Amino acid sequence: MLNAAPNDQTLVTIVVAPRERFEQATMSLEAVFETADLPFRMIYVDGGSPKAISDELKANVESRGHTFIRRPGYVTPNDARNTALPLVDTRYVVFIDNDVVFAPGWLSALVNCAEETGAGLVTPTILVGPAARMPDLKIHHAGGILKLTETGHGRDMYRRHGFEHESYLARKDELVREETDSTEFHVVLARREMLEDIGPFDPNLVGFTDEIDMAFKAKEKGWKIWFEPSSVVAYAVGKKLTWREIPYFCLRWNSAKCMSAERYFYKKWNLVPEFSRQHGFLRDHRRHAFPFKGLQKIVGWRITVTFTTLLCEAIALVTSIRFVKPDMSPKPIASAVTD
């Protein structure tokens, strides 16, 4: 790692937001410091993590001269990002979730791509799987297609991730820098000027379509999105959820909140309603909290999934008192300064 301490020539601020859990946050933070190869500023927004984890994160962030913001309860990712925006004063912002690991050179590759292409947004190669296996993992997102087709009933949205579910090591030589349509908030670089142009993130969106909303607004303003294959990161999954993070996980993927946000998003962009993907994701993803493999062998998949759903929704209902409602009039990014 090169000296990553910020200075007057620092081009990038890293903003960390919680995604769905906390136990991997320290590992992810250490991975940033170990692999970042450019000077950077960091704004770490922590929303409701267990005190022991929060204390460790705060010490690691502040001891390196960066900014740590502790929110009093659970927050949505967009709310966390909006909390950081007024403090950003660099040319670029890299938004990362708190459960990501990184290959060496990931940061400079994103910045170089933006510098050389003028991109408003740059997305890296995003893998998915256990952190210990990096980079021998499946591809989650390597650019992708995000198209709208006008119909008599609104606009039909088609979305597909590039090379999704394919082996990274088998396909990496086929990945090339190119313009693309979509990003993922696991890791994405945004040009500060673009963020000033599109305004704060929509606080009504809780995490299904927040990155699509950003892409649509960027394209409306004429900004380009580029895929940079040499920047490689991984959404680290595989470790079982612990009892300390299950409440946030269940609240984060609460059906009422998620689907209300989806209906709002589809109405906002005049999209043809189609929610089968979202319902399927909620059904399957919540099983990470309660796999119940033994129960499934006895009563079958359908009953197990129903029980898991009811259990997670009950936990979300009880946990909702810890939810910090987003600021519906968030402050914009800091006023322009000379880079």
Side-chain angles (χ1 to χ4, degrees):
M1 181 192 72
L2 299 177
N3 179 15
N7 56 55
D8 291 342
Q9 285 73 48
T10 298
L11 292 178
V12 61
T13 298
I14 295 175
V15 172
V16 186
R19 182 176 185 270
E20 62 182 9
R21 56 186 305 182
F22 303 114
E23 298 286 357
Q24 299 196 96
T26 299
M27 174 197 70
S28 179
L29 179 62
E30 291 174 350
V32 174
F33 291 132
E34 290 171 359
T35 59
D37 56 343
L38 288 177
F40 64 88
R41 295 186 175 95
M42 176 181 284
I43 303 170
Y44 198 109
V45 182
D46 172 47
S49 69
K51 187 176 185 303
I53 294 177
S54 178
D55 289 346
E56 185 174 5
L57 293 171
K58 177 180 173 68
N60 286 341
V61 170
E62 293 185 344
S63 67
R64 291 175 167 90
H66 300 295
T67 302
F68 183 86
I69 301 173
R70 167 76 169 178
R71 300 292 296 280
Y74 298 138
V75 298
T76 65
N78 264 2
D79 189 26
R81 296 174 193 124
N82 282 337
T83 298
L85 282 182
L87 304 178
V88 172
D89 61 0
T90 53
R91 185 181 301 172
Y92 302 109
V93 186
V94 174
F95 297 100
I96 69 174
D97 288 338
N98 68 340
D99 55 2
V100 178
V101 293
F102 312 85
W106 69 278
L107 183 58
S108 62
L110 291 176
V111 172
N112 290 341
C113 179
E115 291 279 275
E116 293 166 10
T117 65
L121 293 165
V122 181
T123 181
T125 302
I126 304 173
L127 313 181
V128 59
R133 289 180 49 197
M134 174 84 165
D136 186 14
L137 297 170
K138 300 292 186 181
I139 296 172
H140 173 62
H141 183 274
I145 299 171
L146 179 61
K147 297 295 186 185
L148 295 176
T149 303
E150 296 289 345
T151 75
H153 307 286
R155 296 191 286 182
D156 184 64
M157 180 175 68
Y158 174 74
R159 183 189 189 196
R160 180 169 62 83
H161 291 182
F163 295 88
E164 188 173 22
H165 305 310
E166 299 193 41
S167 165
Y168 170 67
L169 294 182
R171 304 302 294 271
K172 68 175 183 177
D173 292 339
E174 302 174 45
L175 304 180
V176 297
R177 179 192 285 184
E178 59 185 357
E179 279 193 46
T180 188
D181 294 324
S182 63
T183 70
E184 282 277 310
F185 263 124
H186 297 294
V187 175
V188 61
L189 177 143
R191 186 179 292 269
R192 184 169 173 273
E193 185 182 352
M194 185 216 72
L195 293 173
E196 292 175 341
D197 213 6
I198 69 174
F201 298 112
D202 192 329
N204 293 292
L205 301 178
V206 299
F208 264 139
T209 43
D210 45 6
E211 74 276 359
I212 301 177
D213 188 68
M214 178 177 66
F216 282 170
K217 290 194 292 186
K219 289 179 179 181
E220 271 193 336
K221 297 290 187 176
W223 292 98
K224 302 294 187 181
I225 304 172
W226 281 77
F227 165 58
E228 177 49 61
S230 64
S231 177
V232 181
V233 306
Y235 160 39
V237 299
K239 289 190 175 182
K240 292 178 62 175
L241 273 77
T242 70
W243 65 270
R244 296 196 299 178
E245 53 191 350
I246 284 176
Y248 177 56
F249 181 90
C250 288
L251 182 63
R252 177 73 171 79
W253 300 116
N254 169 256
S255 291
K257 289 184 181 298
C258 287
M259 296 314 302
S260 175
E262 286 300 275
R263 289 189 290 272
Y264 162 84
F265 172 79
Y266 274 64
K267 184 176 180 181
K268 175 181 180 178
W269 291 101
N270 190 31
L271 303 178
V272 177
E274 207 295 302
F275 302 120
S276 59
R277 181 185 66 85
Q278 293 91 326
H279 287 301
F281 175 88
L282 289 173
R283 177 198 66 211
D284 297 335
H285 194 68
R286 284 186 299 221
R287 295 202 67 192
H288 289 295
F290 304 104
F292 291 143
K293 294 180 180 179
L295 179 64
Q296 182 171 326
K297 291 180 180 179
I298 299 172
V299 301
W301 177 84
R302 189 178 301 275
I303 293 177
T304 303
V305 167
T306 301
F307 179 66
T308 300
T309 297
L310 292 174
L311 180 58
C312 218
E313 296 289 9
I315 292 173
L317 181 62
V318 173
T319 305
S320 62
I321 60 173
R322 293 198 60 195
F323 177 63
V324 178
K325 292 185 178 180
D327 181 356
M328 303 312 289
S329 300
K331 298 180 179 66
I333 196 167
S335 57
V337 296
T338 302
D339 290 316

